[in-house]
Amino acid sequence: MINEKRYRVLITYSLFPTSIGWCGVLTTQRGLLRLYAGYAERNQLLNHIAGAVDSHIKKVPATGIVIDKIKRYCSGKHVSFEGCKMDWSSLSPFQQKVLKAALKIPYGSVETYGNLARTIGCPHGSRAVGNALAKNPFPLVIPCHRIIRGDGKPGGFSAGGGVMLKNKLLQMEQLSLQKNR
DNA sequence: AACCCGCCCAACT
DNA sequence: AGTTGGGCGGGTT
């Protein structure tokens, strides 16, 4: 449960619609705390956030560099999220390792769970990698949708929208690259 | 410490 | 196209 007292910081939230559904961010002064993406209804997203947060948090306008990038990414642009400040404080060392490795997968390309496990020095940890990615607090920004199964199937996707959204994002990235060739 | 689960994988059938 | 056993981190009791 997300709690301002535990984090010892103020948390604010913003909601905004995109072409892949309603998105939202939770932010502290340390940076991005949570990112939600792909909700069909604004209220679904609101309920989800309300269920994850243990205190009253302040709503702020959906502006700023990160939100801007998310909006541009969702509209099919080739966006780099490099330089986005994120609050990693609630994540285990293993999860941080997995997510930071995932961050290096370039726009428009994919990697398998097994290969990612190998690159972080955990050769038989594919399933553990999947577990860590399932709890990715920053979908889109950390492109967990670019990690697929070894047999070519998409695998799972726990962010709003599920595997449908995962496929849509991959397709969107392919299309964007083809256009700019 | 034991137990269970999960965005998996390779090697089978 | 299913099934099986292995493998791993993390949460729960």
Side-chain angles (χ1 to χ4, degrees), chain A residues 4 10-16 23-28 32-34 36 42 45-47 49-50 53 55-63 67:
Chain A
E4 287 186 332
L10 227 76
I11 302 174
T12 62
Y13 77 98
S14 314
L15 308 178
F16 52 98
C23 297
V25 297
L26 263 50
T27 311
T28 75
L32 195 57
L33 184 64
R34 286 288 144 80
Y36 302 89
R42 186 177 182 279
L45 173 54
L46 207 50
N47 287 339
I49 292 176
V53 177
S55 47
H56 177 76
I57 57 175
K58 191 180 166 195
K59 185 176 173 185
V60 295
T63 59
I67 292 179

Side-chain angles (χ1 to χ4, degrees), chain A residues 70-86:
Chain A
I70 297 170
K71 286 178 178 170
R72 293 189 56 236
Y73 173 82
C74 291
S75 72
K77 300 281 193 317
H78 182 165
V79 172
S80 159
F81 289 103
E82 210 178 334
C84 287
K85 260 178 49 181
M86 288 173 271

Side-chain angles (χ1 to χ4, degrees), chain A residues 8 34 46-47 49 51 53 57 59 75 95 103 107 112 119 122 124 128 135 140-141 145 151 162 173:
Chain A
R8 298 169 174 280
R34 286 288 144 80
L46 207 50
N47 287 339
I49 292 176
V53 177
I57 57 175
K59 185 176 173 185
S75 72
Q95 199 176 4
L103 202 44
Y107 186 95
T112 66
T119 65
C122 190
H124 300 286
K135 295 174 201 145
L140 310 186
V141 170
H145 58 280
D151 63 5
E173 294 189 6

Side-chain angles (χ1 to χ4, degrees), chain A residues 94-170:
Chain A
F94 180 80
Q95 199 176 4
Q96 292 190 29
K97 251 207 299 200
V98 171
L99 295 178
K100 281 171 182 169
L103 202 44
K104 292 183 184 151
I105 305 172
Y107 186 95
S109 64
V110 293
E111 182 56 281
T112 66
Y113 293 98
N115 277 338
L116 197 65
R118 246 161 273 148
T119 65
I120 62 167
C122 190
H124 300 286
S126 51
R127 200 157 185 183
V129 165
N131 268 334
L133 292 173
K135 295 174 201 145
N136 177 12
F138 319 111
L140 310 186
V141 170
I142 291 181
C144 59
H145 58 280
R146 293 180 197 145
I147 294 111
I148 62 175
R149 291 177 23 163
D151 63 5
K153 289 182 180 158
F157 197 63
S158 59
V163 184
M164 298 284 286
L165 179 58
K166 185 172 188 173
N167 286 324
K168 189 172 177 180
L169 292 174
L170 292 174

